[in-house]
Amino acid sequence: DGGITQSPKYLFRKEGQNVTLSCEQNLNHDAMYWYRQDPGQGLRLIYYSQIVNDFQKGDIAEGYSVSREKKESFPLTVTSAQKNPTAFYLCASSPTGGIGANVLTFGAGSRLTVL
Amino acid sequence: GQQVMQIPQYQHVQEGEDFTTYCNSSTTLSNIQWYKQRPGGHPVFLIQLVKSGEVKKQKRLTFQFGEAKKNSSLHITATQTTDVGTYFCAGGGFQKLVFGTGTRLLVSP
């Protein structure tokens, strides 16, 4: 089955630690995204990538970093510089052309809690 | 920057009642997408509207895109308990896809 796999599903972190969230897709989508979701709020874009070795900041990129070394993978690092990292993190991908262009397929999400 | 607002934030209905959520953008949108997120789950794509005044139906769900392409609505006829979840609209293209704040729907049997 094609889809997006995020890991870990739950993660606990002490203040001052960096953590990396994994996102892998086998949909052959060119574009990948990271969103943050806080309770009662919509999804806010952290970073996105339209092609390998290239990525762009979204609306709330401060305190986060990404890499796109492979088409299938788009890991997100939550650094110690992120002031309020406790949230639900969603990875998504989409085609950039043809039928279904720009329609997002989401992973199951990673819930990060800072202790 | 572009803002997308949704109302209401929350609605609790009895099974069989109708439900509508509204989405309003501060700017003209190239397209509007709708997603559903079940409790504890992730957003799942429902539909995309592109044309001004477009109306699309999926069984009991009716989606509408406004004439000015700045607003949209999702109407559910005769809700069922399986409709429970949060409904998000998202406007624009993939570089500028902005999500609304969502409407949480609770359906009591």
Side-chain angles (χ1 to χ4, degrees):
Chain A
D1 286 339
I4 299 181
T5 302
Q6 287 188 241
S7 63
K9 190 172 183 179
Y10 298 97
L11 183 61
F12 297 88
R13 179 192 106 175
K14 292 182 179 179
E15 282 192 24
Q17 288 181 335
N18 291 355
V19 293
T20 297
L21 308 180
S22 171
C23 179
E24 302 279 332
Q25 56 104 353
N26 61 3
L27 299 168
N28 199 33
H29 288 170
D30 287 314
M32 296 188 74
Y33 315 80
W34 275 104
Y35 286 90
R36 170 180 171 142
Q37 185 174 32
D38 294 285
Q41 297 191 29
L43 283 67
R44 293 183 291 169
L45 183 63
I46 305 172
Y47 269 97
Y48 64 97
S49 168
Q50 299 172 54
I51 196 169
V52 174
N53 293 321
D54 186 52
F55 48 83
Q56 307 296 327
K57 291 182 179 180
D59 299 321
I60 56 165
E62 185 175 353
Y64 300 98
S65 66
V66 293
S67 62
R68 187 88 187 273
E69 297 178 0
K70 298 186 301 181
K71 185 176 183 177
E72 301 80 15
S73 179
F74 192 42
L76 173 74
T77 297
V78 184
T79 75
S80 56
Q82 168 54 232
K83 301 295 183 187
N84 185 20
T86 294
F88 188 46
Y89 291 88
L90 287 158
C91 179
S93 69
S94 75
T96 53
I99 296 174
N102 311 330
V103 171
L104 302 182
T105 299
F106 285 89
S110 293
R111 192 168 298 277
L112 172 63
T113 302
V114 174
L115 303 174
Chain B
Q2 181 184 23
Q3 291 186 330
V4 179
M5 303 299 294
Q6 269 185 267
I7 55 170
Q9 281 190 311
Y10 171 82
Q11 188 155 6
H12 184 181
V13 300
Q14 294 292 317
E15 191 172 24
E17 292 181 338
D18 292 355
F19 160 77
T20 304
T21 174
Y22 300 92
C23 179
N24 295 288
S25 170
S26 57
T27 60
T28 301
L29 302 170
S30 58
N31 64 77
I32 191 91
Q33 299 178 13
W34 285 91
Y35 292 80
K36 177 183 178 181
Q37 184 175 23
R38 294 183 185 276
H42 58 277
V44 174
F45 172 77
L46 294 176
I47 208 161
Q48 177 170 266
L49 305 172
V50 179
K51 299 177 183 177
S52 169
E54 189 171 13
V55 178
K56 288 189 176 180
K57 293 188 176 184
Q58 288 180 348
K59 297 183 180 178
R60 295 177 294 103
L61 278 62
T62 301
F63 304 84
Q64 187 167 7
F65 201 8
E67 294 289 342
K69 302 184 77 173
K70 295 181 72 174
N71 58 76
S72 181
S73 64
L74 158 59
H75 179 81
I76 302 178
T77 302
T79 54
Q80 300 175 358
T81 55
T82 53
D83 296 325
V84 165
T86 301
Y87 293 84
F88 292 99
C89 62
F94 72 89
Q95 287 192 36
K96 297 287 185 182
L97 193 62
V98 178
F99 278 80
T101 46
T103 296
R104 183 180 169 201
L105 173 64
L106 183 61
V107 181
S108 295

